[in-house]
Amino acid sequence: MTHGSFTWNELYTRDVEAAKAFYAATIGWTFEGMSMAHQNRTYWIAKAEGRPVAGILDMRGIVPDSDPPHWLSYLEVDDVDRCAAEIERHGGRIVRAPFDIPNFGRIAIGADVTGAFLAWVSSKR
């Protein structure tokens, strides 16, 4: 992936099974569970024709109870820490400061100047 490209989408929901059934029925996705034992939950990889296309997770305990179910898009950047500083400097807001995800890369979650949420990520290649 290159700097500025969307790389991943994740569905945050309180009803994972309903979401999986919906996407299986409407677009034919299949799902593979990945244990997140440290959070006592399963992360579901959605697949189209055997290829990973999105993730689904139970949002309870991750975001405020008042947040509705939503999709979060991931944007590839060269340097998450530098980008986080630029986001705030240009009127955006960092909701979760940059952090590492083992075997994946570095990520920050925030909102752009319009309030739209995004995850900025620098993945290991």
Side-chain angles (χ1 to χ4, degrees), residues 7-125:
T7 61
W8 191 247
N9 292 290
E10 238 168 29
L11 175 60
Y12 284 68
T13 180
R14 289 179 187 84
D15 194 340
V16 170
E17 292 307 313
K20 287 170 38 186
F22 174 82
Y23 289 105
T26 59
I27 55 177
W29 281 354
T30 58
F31 301 91
E32 180 180 324
M34 190 172 79
S35 175
M36 295 175 66
H38 63 288
Q39 291 185 3
N40 195 28
R41 68 182 73 233
T42 300
Y43 185 85
W44 293 94
I45 304 292
K47 294 183 174 187
E49 299 179 359
R51 185 178 53 89
V53 294
I56 298 179
L57 71 154
D58 190 325
M59 66 194 282
R60 289 177 287 195
I62 297 176
V63 299
D65 290 343
S66 59
D67 283 10
H70 60 276
W71 282 94
L72 179 65
S73 296
Y74 284 62
L75 189 62
E76 180 79 21
V77 296
D78 295 333
D79 183 326
V80 170
D81 295 274
R82 187 183 80 232
C83 189
E86 289 294 315
I87 290 163
E88 290 185 320
R89 201 177 103 205
H90 292 283
R93 172 171 70 94
I94 297 300
V95 175
R96 186 161 180 205
F99 61 99
D100 293 318
I101 297 177
N103 303 315
F104 177 73
R106 192 153 175 81
I107 184 173
I109 299 173
D112 67 16
V113 70
T114 72
F117 274 66
L118 278 170
W120 286 268
V121 63
S122 180
S123 58
K124 293 181 179 180
R125 294 180 186 48

